[in-house]
Structures are given as C-alpha cells and as structure tokens.
Amino acid sequence: MIGFVIVQTRVREPLIPMRFIANRVRVAAYLVVIVLGGATAALFFIIVLYMQDVLGYTPLQSGLAWLPYTAAFLAGILLSIRLAPRWGPRWTILAGLAVTGAGMLVLCLIRVDGSFLLDVLPGTVLIGFGIGFANPALQQAGMTGVSEKDAGLGSGLFTTLLQLSGAIGLTALMSIALTATNQAGTPSPAATVAGYHAAFIVATIAVAGAAATTILLLTRTAADAAADSARS
C-alpha cells in the first residue's frame, strides 16, 4: 500500500491523483468504510463458526439465522434516507457507528452455552441496522466534491476499499482470534469462544476509532466552511 502511494505521487498520470484524497470529508468516509468492511467480513465468518462449531447449527440453520441481520440492514437504510437530509453526513455516520459499536460489544459477551436469541440475535441486529444506517451517508460523503470527470474514480475507489478492507479485516481479526484461542490452553469450545471475544473487542475498538475520525475530520470541515462563509 505504501509503495502504491509512492508510485502514484511520481507518475505523470496516476490511477488515483493525490488531489482526489486531499478532501477531508472523502478521507473520513474512506477510513470508516475500511473499518466497517473489515469488521463486517470478520463478523460474518466468526458468527458462522460460532453457530456451527459451538451452538451446533447446520449450514442451513446458520444461513437462515442471518435473515434478521438483513432485515435490520434494510430498515437502517430506509430510516437513514429519511433522516440524513436533516442530520447531515456527520451525525448520520456517527449514529450508525454508535449502533454498530453497541452490537460489537454485545457479541463480546457470547457464551459457550449460549443461544441464538440471547447471544447472536441482539448483536447482529444492532450491527446490521447500524451499518445500514451509516451506509447512505458514507456513500454521499465519499462522493463529496467529486467532479463528473472523477465520478467513476470516486465510485470505484469506494467499492475497492470496501472489498479490500474485507479481506484484510478478516485476516487480521481471525489471526487475533486464533492467537487468543491458542493462548487459552487446551483446545476446547471455551478457548474458541475466548478467541472470538478477543476479535470482537478489537473490532469494537476499531469502530470507536472510526467514530473519532469522523468527528475530527468532518467537524474540521464544517469549521472550515463556516470560516469561508465569514470571510466572504
């Protein structure tokens, strides 16, 4: 990644001009997308493992168990579309991240002898709603100030970051989970769940960092806009 940035700063016609990522609103959106993409990919994988390996679900049962998440995601999008014009991107994204973080915290408490209704459903529904609520505002922020010439670049970069972060996030969080499981001692369901706890704790911290980034970058942008208005 660092090498790619260095090359892009030196070539005559870069794939991603540095001017494109100089906008703080877009940078905030990209950073949040990276966190949510990574956390979501790990969430899907770990919860499926938990349901099948710990709770004893079949593949069909674990697949159907994601229906509430899907419904919550859709509900979050629909509500966000109605509220975002009044709240603005900053507060809409922050609200979505807050709900997502709450869901991650709930999943930090999954038990060896748990159940779908008490251990899986509350957290996944909160995360689904939170990501759905933040998604329209994130896409809006990611395309802020993008010209018609750069519209394809903006959309492509947003999608690429989402896909790339999913692969990186899954790898990182599963590595954390496996390390914590190995440190827990003899392989057992309790050790496995301890590893899942560690992964969700890190994911929760990452979501909190994304929220802090949103506050910092988008607040500064609002202050800059106010200053510009005052000068004019």
Side-chain angles (χ1 to χ4, degrees):
M1 183 66 72
I2 296 176
F4 176 79
V5 173
I6 293 175
V7 170
Q8 292 299 293
T9 60
R10 295 181 177 180
V11 298
R12 177 178 296 181
E13 297 183 2
L15 293 173
I16 304 176
M18 292 300 102
R19 61 171 174 77
F20 189 82
I21 57 176
N23 183 289
R24 283 198 292 265
V25 176
R26 290 200 294 269
V27 169
Y30 297 153
L31 292 176
V32 173
V33 164
I34 290 172
V35 171
L36 291 183
T40 302
L43 164 73
F44 290 149
F45 191 74
I46 291 175
I47 290 299
V48 168
L49 290 179
Y50 173 72
M51 288 190 290
Q52 294 187 13
D53 296 343
V54 179
L55 300 185
Y57 279 30
T58 66
L60 177 60
Q61 288 174 318
S62 62
L64 293 175
W66 287 103
L67 290 177
Y69 172 94
T70 305
F73 181 84
L74 177 61
I77 289 179
L78 294 177
L79 183 60
S80 177
I81 291 173
R82 296 182 60 183
L83 295 180
R86 286 183 290 171
W87 288 18
R90 177 163 62 109
W91 291 110
T92 305
I93 294 171
L94 284 175
L97 289 174
V99 177
T100 301
M104 290 291 181
L105 280 175
V106 171
L107 293 180
C108 291
L109 305 175
I110 56 176
R111 302 166 296 167
V112 176
D113 58 346
S115 66
F116 173 76
L117 290 178
L118 296 180
D119 295 85
V120 177
L121 182 63
T124 54
V125 166
L126 285 172
I127 293 172
F129 182 86
I131 293 176
F133 192 83
N135 191 55
L138 277 174
Q139 294 190 33
Q140 177 187 354
M143 297 297 289
T144 297
V146 176
S147 64
E148 292 185 7
K149 176 183 177 181
D150 291 332
L153 172 61
S155 177
L157 181 59
F158 191 93
T159 303
T160 300
L161 289 175
L162 184 62
Q163 298 297 324
L164 183 62
S165 63
I168 296 174
L170 175 59
T171 302
L173 291 178
M174 278 307 301
S175 296
I176 292 170
L178 291 173
T179 299
T181 296
N182 293 332
Q183 292 176 346
T186 305
S188 66
T192 299
V193 171
Y196 299 160
H197 288 166
F200 284 127
I201 289 172
V202 173
T204 303
I205 295 173
V207 171
T213 299
T214 301
I215 293 173
L216 179 64
L217 294 182
L218 296 189
T219 299
R220 284 184 174 178
T221 301
D224 292 342
D228 291 340
S229 298
R231 286 193 297 268
S232 62

